[in-house]
Amino acid sequence: MKVKEVAELTGVSVRTLHHYDEIGLLKPEEVTESGYRIYSAANLETLQQILFFRELGFSLGKIKEIITDLDYDRNEALALQRRMLVDRRGQLDRMIEVIDQTIRHYKGEIHMSDKEKFAGFDFTKGNLYEKEARQRWGDEAVNRSNAQLGAMSKEEQEKLGQEMNDIYFKLADLRQLPPESEEAQAAIKLWWEYLNRMGSYSYEAFKNLGQMYVDDERFTKNIDKFGEGLALFMRDAMAVFADRAAAE
Amino acid sequence: MKVKEVAELTGVSVRTLHHYDEIGLLKPEEVTESGYRIYSAANLETLQQILFFRELGFSLGKIKEIITDLDYDRNEALALQRRMLVDRRGQLDRMIEVIDQTIRHYKGEIHMSDKEKFAGFDFTKGNLYEKEARQRWGDEAVNRSNAQLGAMSKEEQEKLGQEMNDIYFKLADLRQLPPESEEAQAAIKLWWEYLNRMGSYSYEAFKNLGQMYVDDERFTKNIDKFGEGLALFMRDAMAVFADRAAAE
DNA sequence: CCTTGACTCTCACGTTACGTGATCCTTTAG
DNA sequence: CTAAAGGATCACGTAACGTGAGAGTCAAGG
């Protein structure tokens, strides 16, 4: 397929395709000797991936990193994109809620604080890659959770995925603070509660899981995509949390 | 409130506030003699509006046009924003659907055409202002439709609003073509069908409605916000459509 | 009163992701 | 074989801020 065809099929401009070629994000499978770009079916699939990530607010640079990642897995990516889209939808829901409130506010039916008026705008802009360690939790007793997940409704699954995202983001935001700080501990408590909804953990297991986040580089790598040093931070916070809880 | 306070409350950066001041989009209520920007509660409400429109993809220039419009009505704007957010959510739903399909496609469970793979990406990017003439249709027999609307479920209402939007956008895209062209007629047919779901029209009434779009400047103004000359284009296309249909 | 740290201001250049011609070459349909 | 349509490559333009740099301001504490 030539540029215009691709452009019309996908809705992006020809210039955009040129641009993506220039920056090495999407190089056409073939270039004729006259210089024409020819795109293959595989190219189209890559483009689809690119567009999904772009819609999710990733910079082209990040997208390039992601899709040229050596162990990039399309299926994993799709699952991730799905969760993020569901997240986005949830955000929109909240914004719609805010609008409804605002309308009622102007009607004098209710009162809204300034904070509430902007509650819909907490864009998780720090676009961070996920790739979710959960799939890789073949080690710990976490495979149970997958079985559980299977038994859950789609809605419940989405809710959980969203929640997990939120917790990671929250933790990433706090990672400069000392792990024993109140905020950190409050956030890590959410993580504890989250995990325990997936299958029960002992304080020991929780602490060990944290240790694994830094010992096993697969975990480290994935977690740190939410923010440099997050794995380390989580390990420390989880240890503090477990120790304190056990001492009670 | 000073800049940082506003920034933290609303989630925008200080630089962004500076920028909005620079381009005259949001001037602080007051500036101290030392040059500090002081924002009022009214400023915050304006900012909320700005952020909603921004989230909906409007350029800052457009937003400025909109909110400095003399007969700008906050309540109308909120209603409009709500509809557009619902639209966006619908788009996300479609994208999620596409992802689900794609996943199944890779699993080999189903087949997807290239077209289907990009079905979620028809971003109605031509960000155009609506303000919806419907509210102003006190003239024609269209008040009936409002009564009907009242009897409809929220979901149905949203669906209709979305559909209307889509039709306007489509027509705006085609407005350079001759009104009797196939595409134009196909699009105007959608409009005919849409209206007839709201209450039945004679071909005569339909044609007259089109004429009104250019005669009554309130209509013209509102319609043309979807694109310069759209009202004129619609009148012509509607006339052709009505004449042809009546001739059958 | 004075210092200090947290804010604030104004340039002013940098960045991202393309848009928009201008100019020139290829390809394809009649 | 000759347009018209599509493609290519510069190269500059734009939108919406980000990111220091350098300098003034303000409230709290010593």
Side-chain angles (χ1 to χ4, degrees), chain A residues 135-159:
Chain A
Q135 287 215 9
R136 316 205 159 182
W137 289 356
D139 311 1
E140 287 282 343
V142 191
N143 266 345
R144 288 172 303 176
S145 73
N146 279 335
Q148 278 217 328
L149 264 180
M152 292 166 70
S153 80
K154 226 178 185 183
E155 267 199 7
E156 287 172 319
Q157 278 186 41
E158 289 174 356
K159 235 178 148 179

Side-chain angles (χ1 to χ4, degrees), chain A residues 82 88-89 93 100, chain B residues 55 82 88-89 93 100:
Chain A
R82 186 181 201 288
R88 274 291 287 149
R89 196 179 52 182
D93 281 337
D100 287 342
Chain B
E55 177 64 15
R82 187 182 198 290
R88 274 290 286 149
R89 197 179 51 184
D93 282 337
D100 286 341

Side-chain angles (χ1 to χ4, degrees), chain A residues 26-115:
Chain A
L26 180 65
K27 296 222 171 269
E29 188 86 26
E30 189 198 331
V31 179
T32 70
E33 52 178 287
S34 52
Y36 282 32
R37 296 171 174 80
I38 308 291
Y39 293 86
S40 69
N43 284 154
L44 284 185
E45 286 173 8
T46 306
L47 181 53
Q48 193 207 23
Q49 293 286 306
I50 292 172
L51 292 184
F52 271 122
F53 279 118
R54 191 183 68 168
E55 177 63 15
L56 287 164
F58 287 80
S59 74
L60 297 187
K62 264 287 170 212
I63 297 178
K64 192 177 169 187
E65 272 182 45
I66 293 174
I67 65 180
T68 64
D69 188 355
L70 282 179
D71 59 333
Y72 172 66
D73 179 343
R74 234 192 347 275
N75 292 329
E76 242 179 285
L78 284 167
L80 167 60
Q81 285 162 350
R82 186 181 201 288
R83 277 197 306 284
M84 296 184 72
L85 285 172
V86 171
D87 269 24
R88 274 291 287 149
R89 196 179 52 182
Q91 239 185 62
L92 282 179
D93 281 337
R94 286 196 292 280
M95 291 182 68
I96 292 172
E97 253 308 297
V98 171
I99 288 221
D100 287 342
Q101 301 279 40
T102 306
I103 290 172
R104 274 190 275 167
H105 170 74
Y106 283 130
K107 278 193 194 157
E109 291 176 12
I110 59 164
H111 178 70
M112 274 183 98
S113 73
D114 283 340
K115 236 169 293 179

Side-chain angles (χ1 to χ4, degrees), chain A:
Chain A
M1 294 177 81
K2 287 185 282 185
V3 274
K4 200 183 184 191
E5 211 176 336
V6 176
E8 279 169 359
L9 176 64
T10 65
V12 309
S13 73
V14 171
R15 177 67 175 92
T16 299
L17 291 173
H18 285 177
H19 185 58
Y20 290 174
D21 187 1
E22 270 176 39
I23 65 174
L25 179 56
L26 180 65
K27 296 222 171 269
E29 188 86 26
E30 189 198 331
V31 179
T32 70
E33 52 178 287
S34 52
Y36 282 32
R37 296 171 174 80
I38 308 291
Y39 293 86
S40 69
N43 284 154
L44 284 185
E45 286 173 8
T46 306
L47 181 53
Q48 193 207 23
Q49 293 286 306
I50 292 172
L51 292 184
F52 271 122
F53 279 118
R54 191 183 68 168
E55 177 63 15
L56 287 164
F58 287 80
S59 74
L60 297 187
K62 264 287 170 212
I63 297 178
K64 192 177 169 187
E65 272 182 45
I66 293 174
I67 65 180
T68 64
D69 188 355
L70 282 179
D71 59 333
Y72 172 66
D73 179 343
R74 234 192 347 275
N75 292 329
E76 242 179 285
L78 284 167
L80 167 60
Q81 285 162 350
R82 186 181 201 288
R83 277 197 306 284
M84 296 184 72
L85 285 172
V86 171
D87 269 24
R88 274 291 287 149
R89 196 179 52 182
Q91 239 185 62
L92 282 179
D93 281 337
R94 286 196 292 280
M95 291 182 68
I96 292 172
E97 253 308 297
V98 171
I99 288 221
D100 287 342
Q101 301 279 40
T102 306
I103 290 172
R104 274 190 275 167
H105 170 74
Y106 283 130
K107 278 193 194 157
E109 291 176 12
I110 59 164
H111 178 70
M112 274 183 98
S113 73
D114 283 340
K115 236 169 293 179
E116 287 168 330
K117 282 183 196 161
F118 292 92
F121 294 104
D122 61 338
F123 308 115
T124 299
K125 284 190 76 174
N127 287 315
L128 298 159
Y129 183 41
E130 215 210 297
K131 211 175 197 179
E132 198 162 70
R134 198 201 301 145
Q135 287 215 9
R136 316 205 159 182
W137 289 356
D139 311 1
E140 287 282 343
V142 191
N143 266 345
R144 288 172 303 176
S145 73
N146 279 335
Q148 278 217 328
L149 264 180
M152 292 166 70
S153 80
K154 226 178 185 183
E155 267 199 7
E156 287 172 319
Q157 278 186 41
E158 289 174 356
K159 235 178 148 179
L160 271 177
Q162 186 177 330
E163 207 182 327
M164 195 181 75
N165 258 14
D166 287 345
I167 297 176
Y168 272 138
F169 285 132
K170 187 166 294 182
L171 283 164
D173 280 339
L174 299 173
R175 71 186 192 280
Q176 308 295 0
L177 295 152
E180 66 277 3
S181 69
E182 225 182 86
E183 292 101 321
Q185 285 300 307
I188 212 72
K189 190 180 176 204
L190 295 177
W191 186 230
W192 162 260
E193 288 166 355
Y194 173 78
L195 285 177
N196 274 286
R197 242 169 299 145
M198 313 289 326
S200 77
Y201 280 74
S202 67
Y203 295 128
E204 261 249 73
F206 188 64
K207 193 172 167 182
N208 287 336
L209 185 60
Q211 187 57 42
M212 225 171 71
Y213 288 176
V214 309
D215 289 346
D216 187 327
E217 58 162 21
R218 292 171 307 171
F219 279 81
T220 317
K221 212 178 142 197
N222 286 314
I223 293 177
D224 277 6
K225 288 198 170 132
F226 281 90
E228 278 253 319
L230 179 55
L232 208 60
F233 173 72
M234 282 183 74
R235 183 202 58 179
D236 294 335
M238 286 164 80
V240 171
F241 180 84
D243 288 342
R244 285 191 190 167
E248 275 190 339

